[in-house]
Amino acid sequence: MIKEQLEKIISEIPKEVALIAVSKTKPNQLILEAYDAGQRDFGENYVQELVDKATQLPKDIRWHFIGHLQSNKVKYIASFVYLIHSVDSLNLLKEINKQAIKHNRVINCLLQIYIAKEETKFGLSFDEASEILQSEVLKELKHICIKGFMAMASNTDNTDQIIQEFKSLKQFSLKFPELSVLSFGMSSDYTLAIQEGSTMIRIGSHIFGTRNYTK
Ligand SMILES: *Cc1c(COP(=O)(O)O)cnc(C)c1O
């Protein structure tokens, strides 16, 4: 099942677009099924769950952190996380840098931008992101590398609205040509996302089935 779903998605998307399999709430056994089908990039939203899975699962998995990240929890993932998609403040960048120094590595990050017309989504405005990218403090943080931007569109059936939101991010990103990674598009909207210039899609339920949060 998972293998077929992965193969189907991969056959539909351009080679340059990276596929992150979002495995939050899903057991190791299903992650291994995807792994055995060749998938290596997985996304998780919760620090404790990510730490447990990273300990138990194959070491060549690239773990993407895509959930809201609190500064005091960075230390738990700093030794191994491959890319943090959800950076939403300069303070968080400072903490990631501090923890990266302890592990003698550079941690790749994306700035999460708020593009949705909803109250509930985390992220920076375009102005706040510009401010961070132009700040003097950022230049001193040698153990982080900002690669691009992440965003989530509104949870709506209004395709035009989703397209407009994606376009706004793509447009903004053009001001920073060296930040070329654009992480947007989920199970419901990844086709639109790729049309609008996404380079990294984050797919959960289309690969693993719907999630059950009650367990
Ligand atoms: C859960 C989640 C996804 C995957 O959502 P699906 O709709 O299951 O594909 C992608 N991105 C983020 C930030 C998420 O929290």
Side-chain angles (χ1 to χ4, degrees), residues 19-134:
L19 170 62
I20 315 303
V22 176
S23 48
K24 63 182 175 219
T25 79
K26 297 296 177 183
N28 288 349
Q29 172 208 340
L30 296 190
I31 297 176
L32 280 173
E33 245 181 79
Y35 179 90
D36 288 338
Q39 181 68 24
R40 290 295 179 273
D41 291 275
F42 291 87
E44 288 283 340
N45 290 58
Y46 310 104
V47 167
Q48 187 58 53
E49 184 177 350
L50 169 55
V51 169
D52 290 345
K53 287 174 172 173
T55 311
Q56 295 154 5
L57 289 162
K59 297 299 169 220
D60 62 339
I61 288 180
R62 293 184 288 266
W63 291 107
H64 297 249
F65 192 83
I66 63 172
H68 184 62
L69 182 57
Q70 290 170 288
S71 289
N72 61 353
K73 298 207 170 152
V74 174
K75 57 176 176 284
Y76 301 115
I77 62 172
S79 66
F80 67 89
V81 70
Y82 178 73
L83 176 64
I84 301 176
H85 291 229
S86 44
V87 175
D88 61 358
S89 74
L90 189 53
N91 274 335
L92 185 55
L93 282 171
K94 286 184 201 162
E95 178 63 19
I96 296 168
N97 186 70
K98 184 175 147 194
Q99 298 300 331
I101 290 170
K102 290 187 186 167
H103 296 284
N104 194 25
R105 62 187 296 243
V106 172
I107 297 181
N108 293 324
C109 298
L110 305 178
L111 295 182
Q112 182 171 357
I113 307 288
Y114 180 91
I115 57 172
K117 293 181 182 57
E118 289 171 11
E119 296 286 310
T120 56
K121 302 238 157 84
F122 293 103
L124 299 157
S125 68
F126 292 130
D127 286 347
E128 288 166 335
S130 295
E131 207 172 295
I132 288 176
L133 289 169
Q134 286 155 16

Side-chain angles (χ1 to χ4, degrees), residues 22 24 45 66-67 112 150 152 185-188 202-206 209 211 213:
V22 176
K24 63 182 175 219
N45 290 58
I66 63 172
Q112 182 171 357
M150 180 269 227
M152 287 165 89
M186 312 181 9
S187 292
S188 59
R202 309 179 308 267
I203 313 255
S205 41
H206 254 49
R211 283 178 296 275
Y213 287 99

Side-chain angles (χ1 to χ4, degrees), residues 182-197:
L182 295 179
S183 166
F184 61 90
M186 312 181 9
S187 292
S188 59
D189 57 20
Y190 71 89
T191 312
L192 297 175
I194 291 169
Q195 275 171 29
E196 300 306 330

